[in-house]
Amino acid sequence: MAESYETLLVEIRDGVAIVTLNRPKALNALNATVMTELVAALKGFQADAAIGAVLLTGSEKAFAAGADIKEMQGLDFVDAYLGDFISGWDGVGAFRKPLIAAVAGFALGGGCELAMMCDFIIAADTARFGQPEITLGIIPGMGGTQRLTRAVGKAKAMDLCLTGRMMDAAEAERCGLVARVVPYERLLDEAVEAAHKIAGFSQPAVGMAKEAVDRAFEQTLSEGLRFERRLFHSLFATDDQKEGMAAFIEKRRAVFKNR
Ligand code: CO8
């Protein structure tokens, strides 16, 4: 039985939690309540062994049109600094299970940053990504200058952050921001299928694959390779490795214990 939230809809389907941002009148602008509820929901999924993957989506018009400008407008520097404004969103980055963003419509500012905090993005052909903070007299604050630059390189990141322009789904796919683009009508099915597939695999292997890929952004190649090798070795201690390889040799479908 899924919890009920003010700004989220949550549905659990066969090991996959589908979380829909639900502030339609504000184009899913990300306020403090969204942050608190989303981080709390993810904590619950982290603790629930039956959840193997999480899907985060929005509406047809907007994944999220950014941080809530009406909520931020009156903030001053001292409040922002002392309150460590928006640091609570780090709870999304700390989530250890696979988190897929299914994006249609606007993913702007904090919305684009939230999508980039997910492990990968599946976009509808209607998706539009951007970091328009510059038009408001600020800059991105939740990874837009860092994750975006790592994802698409300096030229595109500078273009988006300095001009505030939006890019469409085709451009986002070309530059490596999104993993796949599908027609809007297929978006949820495609993302749910991907999430189900992942949820059917061995959770330790999935968790380590995520950890190892993420590590590539944090350290040198030789350290990253060493880290990968250690994780790889450790998976030979799991029943799921025995099952996965036996199933291949016996030409049957693997049934993982830790899924
Ligand atoms: N915050 C608050 N309300 C919003 C936001 C927002 N980011 N975006 C849209 N809304 C509201 C509008 O005010 C409007 O409300 P109302 O009907 O009461 O006036 C309603 O949503 C519908 O919006 P529009 O009428 O503007 O819809 P349009 O289809 O004409 O335009 C746009 C859609 C182009 C998306 C337009 O709404 C827009 O430009 N929105 C703002 C985009 C933006 O600048 N985002 C960046 C915000 S700053 C930021 O994200 C900082 C990130 C760092 C922290 C991250 C923490 C999460």
Side-chain angles (χ1 to χ4, degrees):
M1 174 73 186
E3 304 245 356
S4 78
Y5 298 98
E6 187 187 319
T7 63
L8 306 177
L9 300 172
V10 175
E11 185 193 340
I12 310 289
R13 263 195 236 170
D14 304 330
V16 172
I18 304 169
V19 180
T20 306
L21 300 169
N22 187 34
R23 294 190 70 208
K25 289 189 183 131
L27 300 184
N28 291 332
L30 303 168
N31 65 7
T33 308
V34 180
M35 179 183 78
T36 307
E37 292 191 338
L38 182 57
V39 171
L42 292 177
K43 268 201 177 134
F45 303 146
Q46 188 66 56
D48 184 348
I51 303 289
V54 178
L55 188 60
L56 181 61
T57 194
S59 68
E60 178 171 3
K61 183 159 184 196
F63 176 75
D68 191 317
I69 299 168
K70 292 167 189 166
E71 189 183 68
M72 277 187 301
Q73 185 190 12
L75 200 67
D76 66 22
F77 168 73
V78 173
D79 291 340
Y81 180 74
L82 293 183
D84 206 4
F85 177 57
I86 67 161
S87 60
W89 285 99
D90 295 345
V92 177
F95 184 58
R96 297 178 66 222
K97 293 182 181 181
L99 179 58
I100 302 170
V103 175
F106 299 111
L108 302 177
C112 185
E113 294 171 304
L114 177 59
M116 290 191 293
M117 288 173 99
C118 298
D119 296 312
F120 62 95
I121 301 171
I122 300 180
D125 49 5
T126 59
R128 302 186 76 191
F129 298 87
Q131 299 290 161
E133 288 88 345
I134 201 76
T135 67
L136 300 168
I138 58 169
I139 67 166
M142 207 169 79
T145 65
Q146 301 302 302
R147 288 195 182 91
L148 183 65
T149 307
R150 282 165 168 77
V152 306
K154 177 179 168 183
K156 274 287 187 226
M158 282 290 191
D159 181 3
L160 293 179
C161 291
L162 293 180
T163 68
R165 79 170 175 91
M166 294 184 214
M167 64 179 169
D168 64 15
E171 184 179 358
E173 186 180 35
R174 270 199 312 278
C175 68
L177 181 62
V178 309
R180 318 176 190 177
V181 177
V182 295
Y184 170 70
E185 300 67 38
R186 278 279 312 146
L187 177 67
L188 210 56
D189 286 348
E190 182 95 4
V192 168
E193 272 167 35
H196 272 139
K197 189 164 198 185
I198 294 167
F201 294 135
S202 168
Q203 281 197 22
V206 165
M208 287 188 200
K210 167 170 170 152
E211 217 182 323
V213 172
D214 280 339
R215 195 55 88 90
F217 294 98
E218 305 282 352
Q219 60 190 29
T220 62
L221 179 61
S222 60
E223 284 304 317
L225 289 171
R226 198 191 317 273
F227 180 72
E228 179 192 78
R229 191 70 43 83
R230 293 293 170 261
L231 294 180
F232 174 72
H233 290 161
S234 72
L235 286 169
F236 286 82
T238 63
D239 293 337
D240 288 342
Q241 174 268 328
K242 305 289 176 272
E243 166 62 10
M245 293 193 182
F248 174 81
I249 290 161
E250 292 159 17
K251 300 189 187 304
R252 61 176 174 81
R253 198 186 163 89
V255 181
F256 295 114
K257 194 167 138 193
N258 299 299
R259 59 183 288 264

